[in-house]
Amino acid sequence: MKLKVLPSILSSGWSTTPEQALTPGCSKMASLDRVKVLVLGDSGVGKSSLVHLLCQNQVLGNPSWTVGCSVDVRVHDYKEGTPEEKTYYIELWDVGGSVGSASSVKSTRAVFYNSVNGIILVHDLTNKKSSQNLYRWSLEALNRDLVPTGVLVTNGDYDREQFADNQIPLLVIGTKLDQIHETKRHEVLTRTAFLAEDFNAEEINLDCTNLRCLAAGSSNAVKLSRFFDKVIEKRYFLREGNQIPGFPDRKRFGGGTLKSLHYD
Amino acid sequence: MSFLIDSSIMITSQILFFGFGWLFFMRQLFKDYEVRQYVVQVIFSVTFAFSCTMFELIIFEILKVLNSSSRYFHWKMNLCVILLILVFMVPFYIGYFIVSNIRLLHKQRLLFSCLLWLTFMYFFWKLGDPFPILSPKHGILSIEQLISRVGVIGVTLMALLSGFGAVNCPYTYMSYFLRNVTDADILALERRLLQTMDMIISKKKRMAMTRRTMFQKGEVHNKPSGFWGMIKSVTTSIPGSENLTLIQQEVDALEELSRQLFLETADLYATKERIDYSKTFKGKYFNFLGYFFSIYCLWKIFMATINIVFDRVGKTDPVTRGIEITVNYLGIQFDVKFWSQHISFILVGIIIVTSIRGLLITLTKFFYAISSSKSSNVIVLLLAQIMGMYFVSSVLLIRMSMPLEYRTIITEVLGELQFNFYHRWFDVIFLVSALSSILFLYLAHKQAPEKHMAP
């Protein structure tokens, strides 16, 4: 089945642009702008379930390991309920793997970190190590020190200053809330509050198998909406004033720059 | 009196080994996970401690440290404890943790883990039937029965690992086999990967927008459930959802492609790093070692074939033979007893240390590759089981490398096993493993360049 479908895609796929509407009512699709948000975290914390929940409003039935990167798209109404309401596409890039991967895997992952507009850091509330690894994940994505051979240099030390002048909005999400026993809940939530403060970010704690956690109108949904609004603002509305440097093109291979293939 | 002193020395060393195993577990294996069940850590460290004690006793045997009778006692006791752990405790806990992961059986965990353990024991017992490892005069529950089976499994593992290691080591060290990878190749692959991601994104955008318009129009986008739902979906087809399933299929195929491209790119990066490394001084040194090891590997394969074909079993150990050669052919006279003791100590020591280190490194790599947060406990216990069996059979096989006077203690302690069988079995499995590794590496090497040459 896959083999039959693939050639038809390869021949027609790149020529099919968003302007060609396929279903009625999609004519406004062409005019929608988009933003790119990374979803980072250790393997097994529930990033794929989270992305599925955010984009398709369904619980992921059979989660399996993410190899490479899987993308999903959420349609978001910026400034919902106000006259300036506008719809945007939010691309959620779920990058798989662990912080301790081989440097070749890290170099390959780095290709996904180009022109990022927002980062969601996911950790497992039942596993302290996954929370600690978030520092290394954020450094890997935000890191601007690249040795010309293409190997990322992370000294692993968390530097508050690096986060102080960081322009990319962050959001910290803790998963598997249902597996924390009632008595330990307070201690765990205090710890995660400190974590979110370190990143200068909001935090959401939820259970990815429960649809009601992100029900419209709940505090979680409001925080999420605010985060996406902030990402869109930084990307589209603050450009006129001061030029946000955005994410610089990475220098690789001894001086050549990799052209960003996303044409904004 | 001397027995007490000896025992206290043994116990101190065991505590030291236990501590080392504990640290290794925490720092290396479980680096990225949180230890919630301390039982697992304890079992792993205990297995490690008792396995290392066996090697320590061999060294003491050669160096004639401690009293002979207390050494014998400690051998026996150590052996009993190790067998107890390998045959009773670890399999039971493996069963217990497997059952704990399955939600359905959560209530009757103990019952099901006992059942699993009984199944394991049954197959473990059956393992002894096809092999001529025992003489019939042994009872059912004697040490020899258990050791012989543990030995078979352990020797198989050792031979598999040695065979693969002997072939893989020169392949990775030598730069002759490195494919030529340029920066342009990597850039081209990355561009393809990003293009594929863009295609996936555009299709997902269509799907998301379709779902949204359907939701706004009040159509429920759920799979038809139940009997009447299925009947209804045959007659009335919702155009939106039909489109969605078609696009979903295309997306699935594209995602599979993106995964493959990702893995290929990672592979190219790894090869490029190896090329850069081979140009450094260290790299050149390892390259030279690679040539040396490939000759050694060929020699070992050759010897294994000779042993099997001519049904030959070596009677003397390398140390004594080396000394014989130097004395008889080169005419150098020296004190045989003194030198044989020290040389065999060094040789055996090197073998022990390298095999422990090699095994721990392999286990760590294996653990990182296949474990996840759910299965980490089970995998660590499996690794502890493998490690215990591996070390027990190393003791079995190391007997061959020691001069006659030191072999007696092992023969006495382990009972009357058919040692020759184990050596023959090792040679057979080693040969099979080495040849299949050569075939496998050849195929992998041939297949790789074709993937990248295609535009």
Side-chain angles (χ1 to χ4, degrees), chain A residues 154-202:
Chain A
T154 49
N155 57 3
D157 287 323
Y158 163 60
D159 190 2
R160 229 175 234 261
E161 289 172 12
Q162 254 179 328
F163 285 94
D165 75 340
N166 170 40
Q167 302 288 356
I168 301 179
L170 301 172
L171 176 69
V172 176
I173 296 191
T175 55
K176 304 194 189 167
L177 183 63
D178 53 319
Q179 289 177 24
I180 304 272
H181 202 250
E182 284 294 334
T183 48
K184 294 210 182 152
R185 216 164 259 220
H186 177 70
E187 171 198 331
V188 167
L189 291 179
T190 333
R191 176 168 59 87
T192 55
F194 278 126
L195 183 74
E197 227 181 86
D198 278 343
F199 287 114
N200 198 19
E202 292 256 10

Side-chain angles (χ1 to χ4, degrees), chain A residues 16 23 32 34 56 67-69 71-72 75 77 89 91 93 103-104 108 127-129 252 258 262, chain B residues 30-31 33-34 187 190 197-198 201 204-206 209 211-212 243 259 262 265-266 269-270 273:
Chain A
T16 309
T23 60
L32 288 190
R34 89 294 188 85
Q56 302 191 16
V67 175
C69 174
V71 197
D72 214 341
V75 183
D77 294 315
Y89 282 126
E91 300 168 10
W93 291 58
S103 59
S104 58
T108 326
N127 184 354
K128 264 190 237 167
K129 295 249 174 80
R252 289 192 206 208
L258 179 70
H262 280 280
Chain B
F30 256 48
K31 224 167 29 153
Y33 300 106
E34 204 172 297
L187 269 179
E190 278 186 345
M197 300 305 293
D198 280 338
I201 290 178
K204 292 240 167 164
K205 282 179 186 170
R206 293 212 287 250
M209 199 40 116
R211 271 199 297 266
R212 187 175 146 105
N243 237 338
R259 279 193 281 269
F262 181 82
T265 318
Y269 268 115
E273 273 172 33

Side-chain angles (χ1 to χ4, degrees), chain B residues 301-324:
Chain B
I301 295 183
F302 179 65
M303 288 308 291
T305 328
I306 297 269
N307 279 343
I308 296 175
V309 166
F310 291 116
D311 202 18
R312 192 182 77 110
V313 177
K315 285 286 175 211
T316 54
D317 58 298
V319 179
T320 317
R321 199 141 29 99
I323 292 181
E324 273 173 15

